[in-house]
Amino acid sequence: MTDSNSIGESNESDSHDSSGRSVPPGPSDREPEPSDEEGVVRDAVERSRSGAPAVGAVVRDRFSSDEVFQRIVAVADEEITSSGRELFFSALAGGFAISITVLLYASLYGETDGHPILSGLLYPLGFIYIIIGGYQLYTENTLPPVTLTLERLASIPALLRHWMIVLAGNFAGGAVGAAVLAWGGVFSPEGAEAARYLGTHGVETPWLALFFKAAFAGLIVAGVVWMVYASQDTISRLVVVYMAFLAIPIGNLFHVVTSFTEMSYVVFIGELSLFVGLTEFVLPVLLGNTIGGILLVTIVNYYQTSEHRLASARFKGVKRRLSPKEWLFGGFVGRSYVPLIDTGETSIPNGRYRVLVPISNPRTESGLVELAAAVAAQHGPAVVHIVHVVQVPDVKYGTGQRDRIVAESERLLSEVTAPVEDRGVDLETSTVVSHRSVAEVFEAANREDADLVVMGWGRGDQLWGSPRAEGVVEELTSRLPCDFLILEGNELDTSRILLPTAGGPDSELSAEVARTLRSAGGSEVTLLHVTDEGQREAGETFLAEWADDHDLSGAEIVVDNSGDVERAIAREAEDHTLVLLGATERGFLTRLVSESVHPTVVSDVDCSVLLAERPGNRDLFERLFGLK
């Protein structure tokens, strides 16, 4: 790019007219070159397009429509992948904040005898609380995820789930606030009368008029979303939010959460039935806000951006989308969300035994790869797919940064592939960058039709220990996509294996793994069965038959008649290097995924623990609590 010095040097050879303007050499009929001033301005404009500082009045001081869209996508990624608990309680706080708006609006309305401007001066305060505090509010924070749905990066069911949770939280918070206002003696007599009028005014308004008034309010709120992300400082955001939401009371418009709170107030004081309030007031406002916000602003703003709007918002942009079926039905038929980066999306099942190994730190989780390679090698033609899962809950990355993430991930993955290559098993590697961690594992297992997932848990840098690991509980409500082996500890020593069993499908998977490790590496296997006092002989008979049935003849048999499973395992584990447990043993999995609390059997042993679970026809309660 030409700098100011080169411009000055080039002009020295040009002739000048009486006005001092430069005249280029050449025939007189040639078009004159731009003046010095015009050249500087043009150069400044070109530099401002690149985002670099430019001189004079042409410095770009606002975002382009594509840049605003990219900022909204970054926020939408975080919102659409939030857990239901996070969304609900953030929306609950948003509903509480709206009760502040109702309190102030009704109080000023009563004190000013319904003055159309003065009564609404403090109306925006609750909305300012929400936006500055980052709370969820229907029609405000719920609109950014629409951008992901329009780009087929999030499914329609995922969007509807997000909306329903936020709306439920807003209504719950608004109802609690309305109850306090109705029964807590907060209002003055004038304010209470004004609140009664505001709550019944909507019901007295014709249904169609409510809808169109709400549509205009939805237009305003959705416009606020766009303008907030176009603003570069907090003061600008505050001014935009205040002026925009002030237009709602001045224009006699309706916002659904405010309307629900006002309606709830008159229901609590006995002036209105809940059914009438919902069907004749809240419902038309909800529809108007939603349609006005989506159709009039979100979609229009979306289509004013360029075709390359995702170029720096997401890795590979529009090349990575949900299929039409996934977009319509979400997780029921495949993925419900496209992660920020997934370099392995093109993997296609090919009939071979597939082992998926998700890891968060390739430097410390080589034991998982060794285990996966050993199991895969015993199943004939097989492939091990190592996935480096990078969770980024609150960070926006540019394209250059994403490229560096992928390059660094590929370098780290290359250092842990030796165990797979040594056993002659086919290898695939990929990188996933997402706001979710464990959820990506389940989706990848479904997408690739994996036969086995081998993953780690119990450490802060591993997937189960991530802040969003509670999503695993939701995944357990449906059938597991395949067999799961979950290893506690980074080191894998399979020389002496302890396999406690009481029967059941997960013990069958444990037996299969024990056979594989014994065959591959000559592991010594000890079988443990815990019975109550006086049942040792029955326990020995059961264990001998179980060993024969699962091709583990020759394994050492130990029967403990103390009746205390966890202490028995801890005692026997002292002489072993690995404990292999079925997931249903004494509700083991329940404690694994709740609050990241380690079960006693894990905390009491020094060796690694391998948890095995096999999908079956049991429901959630049966699978978690060990019932057959």
Side-chain angles (χ1 to χ4, degrees):
M1 185 171 292
T2 306
D3 59 24
S4 59
N5 292 332
S6 62
I7 290 175
E9 293 171 0
S10 65
N11 289 338
E12 289 179 1
S13 62
D14 295 341
S15 60
H16 294 75
D17 64 10
S18 59
S19 65
R21 291 176 298 178
S22 61
V23 179
S28 58
D29 58 345
R30 182 181 301 171
E31 280 189 32
E33 291 286 329
S35 67
D36 291 348
E37 182 178 354
E38 292 171 343
V40 170
V41 170
R42 183 174 62 186
D43 182 57
V45 170
E46 291 298 323
R47 282 189 288 168
S48 69
R49 286 175 182 168
S50 70
V55 299
V58 296
V59 176
R60 188 178 66 169
D61 59 354
R62 62 188 178 89
F63 294 114
S64 69
S65 59
D66 281 2
E67 289 170 327
V68 176
F69 178 83
Q70 290 160 9
R71 299 182 80 191
I72 292 176
V73 165
V75 173
D77 269 316
E78 176 67 14
E79 291 185 1
I80 202 73
T81 58
S82 296
S83 70
R85 177 180 57 81
E86 291 172 325
L87 284 176
F88 180 81
F89 282 99
S90 180
L92 188 70
F96 291 152
I98 288 299
S99 65
I100 298 175
T101 283
V102 174
L103 167 64
L104 297 176
Y105 184 39
S107 298
L108 279 181
Y109 196 94
E111 293 296 332
T112 62
D113 294 327
H115 191 283
I117 296 178
L118 296 180
S119 63
L121 289 179
L122 295 180
Y123 182 92
L125 186 59
F127 295 94
I128 292 175
Y129 269 36
I130 289 170
I131 292 177
I132 299 301
Y135 303 137
Q136 291 287 329
L137 177 68
Y138 189 80
T139 72
E140 197 273 321
N141 296 78
T142 47
L143 285 177
V146 176
T147 59
L148 294 181
T149 305
L150 291 173
E151 286 286 1
R152 288 211 335 249
L153 300 176
S155 66
I156 292 176
L159 176 66
L160 295 178
R161 164 193 172 273
H162 182 87
W163 281 0
M164 287 188 291
I165 293 174
V166 171
L167 194 62
N170 284 164
F171 282 179
V176 172
V180 173
L181 294 176
W183 300 326
V186 179
F187 279 129
S188 65
E190 296 81 7
E193 179 59 28
R196 187 198 65 79
Y197 166 75
L198 293 173
T200 56
H201 169 62
V203 177
E204 297 168 355
T205 305
W207 211 93
L208 198 60
L210 275 177
F211 173 83
F212 284 110
K213 285 175 178 287
F216 270 98
L219 182 153
I220 291 172
V221 175
V224 167
V225 174
W226 189 266
M227 289 186 289
V228 163
Y229 290 110
S231 303
Q232 297 184 341
D233 60 86
T234 302
I235 298 300
S236 298
R237 294 188 183 99
L238 287 176
V239 172
V240 166
V241 172
Y242 181 82
M243 297 301 294
F245 283 104
L246 183 61
I248 293 179
I250 291 179
N252 193 26
L253 307 178
F254 297 91
H255 183 274
V256 63
V257 182
T258 307
S259 297
F260 179 85
T261 306
E262 293 169 344
M263 181 273 299
S264 298
Y265 174 82
V266 293
V267 168
F268 287 140
I269 64 174
E271 297 284 335
L272 183 70
S273 75
L274 178 62
F275 179 78
V276 171
L278 289 175
T279 57
E280 298 186 17
F281 186 11
V282 176
L283 179 59
V285 174
L286 173 62
L287 294 175
N289 281 171
T290 304
I291 294 175
I294 294 175
L295 295 183
L296 299 181
V297 175
T298 305
I299 293 179
V300 171
N301 285 338
Y302 168 81
Y303 281 109
Q304 74 162 324
T305 58
S306 74
E307 291 297 323
H308 303 289
R309 53 189 162 258
L310 282 181
S312 61
R314 275 172 151 262
F315 186 75
K316 294 186 179 180
V318 297
K319 296 179 181 179
R320 306 170 57 248
R321 283 176 165 168
L322 299 174
S323 68
K325 185 181 292 186
E326 288 175 325
W327 186 66
L328 288 173
F329 301 106
F332 296 105
V333 297
R335 299 174 299 171
S336 62
Y337 168 76
V338 177
L340 299 177
I341 297 175
D342 187 350
T343 61
E345 285 180 321
T346 58
S347 297
I348 301 175
N350 54 13
R352 293 177 295 175
Y353 186 83
R354 293 189 66 86
V355 181
L356 183 69
V357 190
I359 57 178
S360 62
N361 190 344
R363 291 190 181 94
T364 61
E365 298 180 74
S366 59
L368 296 175
V369 179
E370 295 175 12
L371 176 60
V375 174
Q378 300 298 312
H379 284 81
V383 57
V384 172
H385 182 186
I386 307 173
V387 184
H388 184 195
V389 182
V390 181
Q391 185 173 358
V392 286
D394 300 303
V395 182
K396 176 188 175 185
Y397 289 101
T399 302
Q401 290 171 299
R402 292 191 176 101
D403 290 339
R404 288 193 292 272
I405 290 174
V406 172
E408 176 63 14
S409 175
E410 291 176 348
R411 185 188 68 80
L412 293 173
L413 287 172
S414 67
E415 298 175 358
V416 297
T417 58
V420 181
E421 296 168 348
D422 292 344
R423 292 185 181 273
V425 177
D426 290 342
L427 173 68
E428 295 177 3
T429 62
S430 63
T431 301
V432 173
V433 177
S434 175
H435 296 298
R436 309 178 300 173
S437 56
V438 180
E440 296 296 346
V441 174
F442 281 81
E443 290 194 3
N446 274 309
R447 183 171 69 248
E448 297 185 15
D449 195 21
D451 296 285
L452 174 67
V453 171
V454 179
M455 61 187 297
W457 68 277
R459 308 276 182 176
D461 62 345
Q462 293 180 329
L463 301 177
W464 294 90
S466 67
R468 294 176 180 270
E470 71 275 358
V472 176
V473 178
E474 298 178 10
E475 299 291 346
L476 289 172
T477 60
S478 60
R479 295 180 182 177
L480 289 177
C482 61
D483 293 341
F484 269 69
L485 293 179
I486 304 170
L487 177 67
E488 191 280 334
N490 295 325
E491 299 296 329
L492 179 65
D493 183 352
T494 61
S495 58
R496 298 186 306 280
I497 300 173
L498 175 65
L499 197 168
T501 181
D506 301 302
S507 290
E508 293 179 5
L509 176 59
S510 300
E512 182 180 325
V513 174
R515 287 197 309 271
T516 297
L517 295 177
R518 184 171 70 171
S519 173
S523 303
E524 298 177 5
V525 179
T526 300
L527 305 180
L528 172 66
H529 181 62
V530 180
T531 66
D532 293 328
E533 188 174 355
Q535 297 182 4
R536 175 180 293 277
E537 184 176 348
E540 291 175 348
T541 302
F542 162 79
L543 205 51
E545 294 176 352
W546 190 89
D548 290 338
D549 292 341
H550 293 85
D551 295 328
L552 287 172
S553 300
E556 181 182 356
I557 293 178
V558 176
V559 174
D560 187 298
N561 63 351
S562 66
D564 190 329
V565 175
E566 292 178 348
R567 290 187 179 180
I569 294 174
R571 283 193 300 269
E572 291 298 325
E574 293 178 358
D575 297 325
H576 293 81
T577 59
L578 178 69
V579 176
L580 187 52
L581 290 174
T584 58
E585 301 286 344
R586 298 292 298 268
F588 192 90
L589 191 55
T590 307
R591 288 171 289 169
L592 169 65
V593 298
S594 67
E595 311 250 319
S596 297
V597 177
H598 289 186
T600 303
V601 68
V602 175
S603 59
D604 287 349
V605 301
D606 295 327
C607 62
S608 297
V609 176
L610 185 63
L611 171 68
E613 180 166 11
R614 167 157 284 168
N617 296 322
R618 296 164 294 158
D619 60 24
L620 175 65
F621 182 84
E622 291 173 329
R623 286 177 41 230
L624 287 181
F625 293 96
L627 301 178
K628 297 182 181 179

